[in-house]
Amino acid sequence: ENKVIETMKYSLKDNHLILEKTAGRSPCEIGVKGDYNYEVIGDNLAISLISDNCPARSASLKKNIFTKISSKK
């Protein structure tokens, strides 16, 4: 069963991905922002930490590469 743990909004500027918590069950406060460097390589998204006042979020995103998957409707 898939459950939503966190809801965030994001913004992109240059090669920065800014994440901001809007709701969820993580220990981070609502409104806390994180700044990450991002790079798209083919079907992959690589992110690396610049700064984040939410240790739980930064630990969960540490050195991750996300791969695009197709959506079947």
Side-chain angles (χ1 to χ4, degrees):
E1 179 179 336
N2 294 328
K3 293 184 180 181
V4 175
I5 297 171
E6 189 105 329
T7 303
M8 293 182 275
K9 63 182 178 179
Y10 73 93
S11 61
L12 301 174
K13 183 175 181 180
D14 300 321
N15 63 332
H16 289 248
L17 168 64
I18 310 298
L19 299 173
E20 180 180 349
K21 178 179 177 175
T22 58
R25 299 179 301 186
S26 78
C28 305
E29 295 291 326
I30 291 175
V32 171
K33 294 181 181 180
D35 186 6
Y36 293 82
N37 185 14
Y38 79 93
E39 183 177 5
V40 177
I41 305 165
D43 285 342
N44 296 315
L45 170 66
I47 64 172
S48 57
L49 175 67
I50 295 172
S51 65
D52 196 334
N53 288 325
C54 176
R57 178 175 47 217
S58 61
S60 69
L61 296 174
K62 188 176 183 180
K63 296 185 181 180
N64 275 315
I65 295 178
F66 300 93
T67 302
K68 181 180 178 180
I69 59 173
S70 63
S71 175
K72 297 179 181 177
K73 292 183 179 184

